[in-house]
């Protein structure tokens, strides 16, 4: 880790599953971006999460349940969304590790 972070660095990650729109923007300086309610929801999961943890919504939990382990977090009041049931992603299942 960089000398700028002598105590390390912890990040918050938020995951949601659903439709999104993606594309390249610009003519001279190109950049790639993703939009949509799915992106906004994942962002809310990150901002309402805790450092060093991955918080997921119900749809993400359903998509990942066969390969990952979860701990229920409960409900979170999310601005613009109301009450959202969430989980912490805690690791991979043994089956997913054996198939990796």
């Amino acid at each position: 880790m960089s000398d700028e972070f002598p105590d390390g660095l912890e990040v918050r990650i938020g995951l949601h599953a659903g439709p999104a729109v993606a594309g390249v923007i610009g003519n001279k300086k190109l950049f790639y971006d993703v939009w949509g309610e799915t992106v906004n929801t994942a962002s809310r999961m990150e901002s309402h999460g805790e450092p060093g943890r991955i918080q997921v919504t119900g749809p993400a939990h359903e998509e990942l349940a066969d390969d990952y382990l979860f701990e229920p977090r409960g409900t979170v009041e999310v601005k613009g969304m109301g009450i959202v049931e969430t989980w912490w992603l805690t690791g991979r299942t043994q089956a997913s590790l054996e198939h990796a």
Side-chain angles (χ1 to χ4, degrees), residues 44-84:
R44 299 275 190 202
M45 289 299 99
E46 176 272 324
S47 63
H48 287 74
E50 295 178 1
R53 301 203 80 175
I54 301 171
Q55 181 172 231
V56 304
T57 61
H61 178 261
E62 290 175 22
E63 289 287 328
L64 300 171
D66 291 341
D67 296 318
Y68 292 89
L69 302 169
F70 296 90
E71 169 188 318
R73 179 180 187 185
T75 57
V76 177
E77 176 80 31
V78 180
K79 183 179 178 181
M81 295 179 63
I83 302 293
V84 178

